[in-house]
Amino acid sequence: MTVISSDEMSSLLTPINAFLQCETPHAWLEEAQKEENLRIILTDHLICELKAAQSAMYLLRRYVADDATSKTLLGWLKPYEDFTYRHEGDWQSLNTKHLSKNVFNTEGLDPFKKDMLNKMVLLIKEELHHFYQVLEIMHELGFEYKSVTSSRYANGLLRHVRTYEPEKLVDKLICGAYIEARSCERFAKLAPYVSEALGKFYVSLLRSEARHFEDYLNLATQISSVDITERVTHFANVEKTLILSDDKELRFHSGVPVFQEAP
Ligand SMILES: [Fe+2]
Ligand SMILES: [Fe+2]
């Protein structure tokens, strides 16, 4: 498997591991690599890819797009949402070829909004492409898509987002950075324990998710009028608690698996 050199792997993971305050617990890794759990891990991963696109879309609609563009943007996600939540449409016809930042009117946008637009449009296209790639793998494995409930992870982070601007935006961006960074760390951890094809896919995801983490953090730094270290530390602790505490459900971002009811 020569899709990534050990130098590149460590240059991607060093900032990720410095940002995250804990490693994925061994108990999660043991559970997640089990053959019988592959379907749930892939299905949850699939839905996480859509959620990543939806979160970035929310930022564009809330902070950058005018009303007409906002409507166009909703149309970008509709076939993916129809498939995921309403079990409608043919997944093989999903594609991101027509998605372009040219739909935005950039006249009068400040440099922050322009930067956010560029980063988030690219991120949305990549997440939706990942969504398709996960479906391809599920199809090859004979896993028909069935919805699963979300893990507590993203909501556990987002409930700490402040309710007033610009702090709300800063916090959402920091949460985005944590979700991307943890995904990256888990792809690297799982890759050696899954099939060669899936391992290669996970490694290919490392590069884009590592950049997404940096993009979110960079945007948070730009938009905040004060140093964001304190907020980063706050979310680091929340994230660490979610990862290291007991969790009854196995999901891509779940905590320490505890499935047996106490006698
Ligand atoms: Fe992704
Ligand atoms: Fe991502």
Side-chain angles (χ1 to χ4, degrees):
M1 187 156 107
T2 54
V3 284
I4 193 166
S5 68
S6 58
D7 278 0
E8 190 192 352
M9 179 70 105
S10 79
S11 79
L12 288 173
L13 287 178
T14 301
I16 298 278
N17 291 333
F19 183 61
L20 297 172
Q21 295 305 300
C22 68
E23 254 185 78
T24 283
H26 191 68
W28 181 89
L29 189 57
E30 267 197 354
E31 204 57 36
Q33 66 185 263
K34 286 182 182 166
E35 190 81 35
E36 68 264 32
N37 289 327
L38 186 56
R39 176 196 282 266
I40 188 85
I41 289 293
L42 284 173
T43 307
D44 189 50
H45 174 190
L46 176 79
I47 298 170
C48 287
E49 297 291 0
L50 176 60
K51 288 202 172 139
Q54 287 172 320
S55 308
M57 182 69 81
Y58 167 85
L59 295 177
L60 289 180
R61 295 184 60 235
R62 170 75 178 79
Y63 299 101
V64 183
D66 57 27
D67 286 353
T69 312
S70 201
K71 267 197 180 153
T72 308
L73 292 177
L74 285 180
W76 286 11
L77 291 185
K78 188 163 186 311
Y80 295 85
E81 291 171 336
D82 283 345
F83 178 84
T84 307
Y85 304 125
R86 292 174 276 280
H87 300 262
E88 286 171 8
D90 171 18
W91 69 269
Q92 276 159 319
S93 65
L94 296 171
N95 72 78
T96 58
K97 288 190 193 88
H98 57 292
L99 311 185
S100 161
K101 62 182 181 183
N102 295 339
V103 299
F104 286 85
N105 176 9
T106 55
E107 225 173 282
L109 286 185
D110 64 39
F112 170 77
K113 286 186 176 176
K114 274 189 189 156
D115 193 24
M116 181 147 94
L117 190 163
N118 289 330
K119 288 184 162 88
M120 292 299 109
V121 169
L122 184 60
L123 185 144
I124 289 166
K125 289 177 73 163
E126 289 177 337
E127 305 297 16
L128 294 178
H129 182 57
H130 299 162
F131 180 95
Y132 185 89
Q133 289 177 300
V134 180
L135 273 175
E136 259 183 334
I137 286 178
M138 288 176 67
H139 181 70
E140 276 160 28
L141 291 168
F143 294 160
E144 200 190 324
Y145 170 71
K146 290 192 189 98
S147 31
V148 297
T149 54
S150 303
S151 72
R152 63 185 190 177
Y153 179 78
N155 280 341
L157 283 169
L158 291 167
R159 51 189 284 271
H160 291 263
V161 169
R162 290 168 290 182
T163 53
Y164 44 91
E165 298 289 7
E167 287 81 357
K168 181 177 170 183
L169 175 56
V170 172
D171 287 358
K172 272 185 176 279
L173 292 166
I174 295 171
C175 287
Y178 271 102
I179 297 167
E180 296 286 351
R182 180 60 65 189
S183 306
C184 207
E185 192 251 0
R186 290 209 160 166
F187 288 134
K189 276 269 191 303
L190 269 177
Y193 299 102
V194 293
S195 72
E196 191 178 337
L198 187 55
K200 278 186 180 173
F201 176 51
Y202 283 164
V203 167
S204 78
L205 290 179
L206 280 175
R207 294 187 187 92
S208 51
E209 310 305 359
R211 210 198 57 249
H212 295 168
F213 137 70
E214 275 164 2
D215 284 350
Y216 274 124
L217 206 54
N218 184 293
L219 288 170
T221 308
Q222 275 185 67
I223 196 62
S224 180
S225 52
V226 294
D227 187 287
I228 63 168
T229 309
E230 198 187 310
R231 286 312 281 172
V232 169
T233 305
H234 176 70
F235 282 103
N237 289 328
V238 173
E239 206 269 347
K240 180 181 176 181
T241 304
L242 289 164
I243 292 298
L244 296 184
S245 57
D246 290 353
D247 201 332
K248 287 194 181 112
E249 286 177 318
L250 179 71
R251 294 290 185 271
F252 194 80
H253 295 106
S254 55
V256 177
V258 276
F259 304 133
Q260 261 99 45
E261 289 293 315

